[in-house]
Amino acid sequence: MAYLNCLPPSVEPCVSDHMPQIIDMIKQILNNGCSYTIDGDVYFSVDKFPEYGRLSGRRLEDNRAGERVAVDSRKKNPADFALWKSAKEGEPFWESPWGPGRPGWHIECSAMSAAYLGYSFDIHGGGMDLIFPHHENEIAQSCAACHESSVSYWIHNGFVTIDSEKMSKSLGNFFTIRQVLELYHPLALRLFLMGTHYRSPINYSDLQLESSSDRVFYIFQTLHDCERILTQYDEASLKDSIPPGIATCIKNFYDECLASMLDDLHTPVALAAMSEPLKTINDLLHTRKGKKQELRIESLAALGKAIGNILTILGLLPDSYSEALQQLRDYALKRARLTEDQVVQKIEERNAARKNKDYEKSDAIRKELAAVGIALMDSPEGTTWRPAIPLAFQELQFSAS
């Protein structure tokens, strides 16, 4: 999580440390007449909560009992769910007013969130598979314990799929973040995940990760080039103004990012909005017209700062552009199963072939490296390389479009 630039939780509570709070909440629900006891078990009575189903939109008569366990015939309504389960041989248990036992699946979340956030808080997250029954039951039991209980926003994320099939342990088609980070930069993975709206399913593939890695490299290289130019100038000597066209570009960029993030955290639109200011920076850095533009350095400073601000909000700003670029190169070499020295040797072989006018060999070397994601770039200063999407993936990308 730290590698992905995810902020750590303020509190990571354990259920076993909160038995008093759980038992107290069950007592409140019983006292309010919304649950009943049977032989050491305590069940929530869904018939006592008329708003049951308001989150999922399911009607009570449509609900299937026993989503995770067999139906208990002792229940008043098959949809009633356990708040406390009596102890079974071989299972952990705690003492309670109803005898030894353990909490039900749902009550622990309500009790711990109430302990740290109160009965009313802003955001409750979870996977879309938790909408029913888990979050539906959380609402019912929290409101039964405290009528003022409320959550302002329910944030449910879509599944990660592989070839349009849900990633899961049971299907054996899953892998961990650690495994992905062996071959791809953490910020490339973060960009990939943010490239799809959080509520939508996201289809994992090597092509998608290659594309995200390529995009991250382009963003950081552009901003690194911008930074390098700016270090040649004293900030105090720069004017306070920028051309109207640059000011409009930055305003439109900020407006689009803000509007998209206010629209249920629509991160793909915010990421796409970077294209125009990034292109403008590259024009100012590399084109003849851009190099002659009035207030060019001031424009580069303003554009670089604007993009950096949005990258910070999105958690995509590295500690150092140059370090991140080197890390992306190292990852590309690892995926290509090459070392830096081997790439340099190939570049020297190609230079020799070009000098001898053996263009067929020169092209073959370029294509050989491109096939494994190493792109050669020729300039008057010589030949350098950068990570790129391997040719086979580029062809897949082209056929998909």
Side-chain angles (χ1 to χ4, degrees), residues 13-14 23 25 45-46 95 101 110 112 140 146 151 177 209 221 237 259 261 289 294 296 310 333 340 363 371 381:
C14 295
I23 289 168
M25 181 172 273
S45 176
V46 294
E95 293 300 329
S110 289
M112 290 193 295
C146 175
V151 170
I177 289 172
L209 261 294
Q221 185 67 66
S237 68
M261 294 301 283
K289 182 181 177 184
E294 187 184 0
R296 172 176 175 253
I310 298 302
L333 289 170
E340 180 87 35
D363 290 345
E381 291 78 37

Side-chain angles (χ1 to χ4, degrees), residues 117-398:
L117 304 173
Y119 276 97
S120 294
F121 52 93
D122 293 320
I123 298 171
H124 194 312
M128 63 193 301
D129 54 334
L130 297 182
I131 296 173
F132 186 88
H134 185 50
H135 289 162
E136 197 69 75
N137 291 353
E138 271 195 69
I139 291 171
Q141 64 200 8
S142 292
C143 290
C146 175
H147 297 308
E148 286 75 41
S149 178
S150 68
V151 170
S152 301
Y153 299 96
W154 288 88
I155 304 295
H156 293 105
N157 61 278
F159 295 133
V160 179
T161 61
I162 297 179
D163 299 323
S164 302
E165 190 171 43
K166 180 188 170 186
M167 187 190 289
S168 68
K169 286 185 179 181
S170 60
L171 293 172
N173 65 347
F174 81 101
F175 36 84
T176 65
I177 289 172
R178 287 185 182 87
Q179 288 173 303
V180 178
L181 297 187
E182 287 174 11
L183 292 175
Y184 294 98
H185 195 285
L187 295 184
L189 177 56
R190 185 177 178 93
L191 184 85
F192 160 69
L193 293 169
M194 297 181 88
T196 298
H197 189 257
Y198 75 87
R199 290 188 189 269
S200 302
I202 183 168
N203 198 45
Y204 179 93
S205 70
D206 289 338
L207 170 59
Q208 298 275 24
L209 261 294
E210 289 286 352
S211 299
S212 295
S213 189
D214 189 61
R215 183 64 176 171
V216 162
F217 189 90
Y218 166 73
I219 293 169
F220 293 167
Q221 185 67 66
T222 299
L223 294 169
H224 175 61
D225 292 346
C226 180
E227 209 173 55
R228 196 167 47 190
I229 290 286
L230 292 173
T231 56
Q232 300 171 19
Y233 295 85
D234 181 10
E235 193 176 339
S237 68
L238 301 181
K239 296 179 181 177
D240 290 334
S241 60
I242 54 175
I246 299 297
T248 300
C249 175
I250 292 172
K251 182 183 183 304
N252 290 343
F253 172 52
Y254 275 144
D255 287 349
E256 195 167 354
C257 287
L258 181 61
S260 64
M261 294 301 283
L262 289 174
D263 182 17
D264 196 16
L265 303 175
H266 211 311
T267 51
V269 177
L271 291 172
M274 284 187 203
S275 296
E276 191 58 34
L278 286 168
K279 179 184 179 300
T280 303
I281 288 176
N282 278 309
D283 287 346
L284 290 167
L285 288 171
H286 305 299
T287 68
R288 190 176 297 174
K289 182 181 177 184
K291 288 177 181 179
K292 292 179 180 178
Q293 184 168 310
E294 187 184 0
L295 300 172
R296 172 176 175 253
I297 302 305
E298 287 82 356
S299 297
L300 286 170
L303 287 161
K305 183 180 179 182
I307 296 172
N309 288 342
I310 298 302
L311 289 177
T312 301
I313 290 169
L314 297 175
L316 289 168
L317 189 74
D319 293 332
S320 156
Y321 293 129
S322 59
E323 284 179 21
L325 289 167
Q326 186 55 53
Q327 290 162 358
L328 285 159
R329 288 189 186 94
D330 292 341
Y331 274 107
L333 289 170
K334 190 173 183 181
R335 293 195 298 276
R337 298 182 181 179
L338 293 170
T339 65
E340 180 87 35
D341 289 342
Q342 288 172 322
V343 174
V344 170
Q345 186 181 341
K346 288 288 182 185
I347 289 173
E348 289 171 356
E349 286 177 22
R350 181 171 171 269
N351 288 341
R354 292 172 76 195
K355 192 173 182 180
N356 295 328
K357 298 187 178 179
D358 187 351
Y359 299 118
E360 189 175 336
K361 183 178 180 181
S362 167
D363 290 345
I365 292 171
R366 176 190 282 278
K367 193 167 184 179
E368 177 191 345
L369 290 173
V372 291
I374 305 294
L376 299 184
M377 298 174 293
D378 298 319
S379 72
E381 291 78 37
T383 301
T384 56
W385 71 273
R386 59 153 284 172
I389 302 172
L391 283 181
F393 288 123
Q394 288 186 37
E395 288 165 8
L396 278 173
Q397 204 173 38
F398 179 76

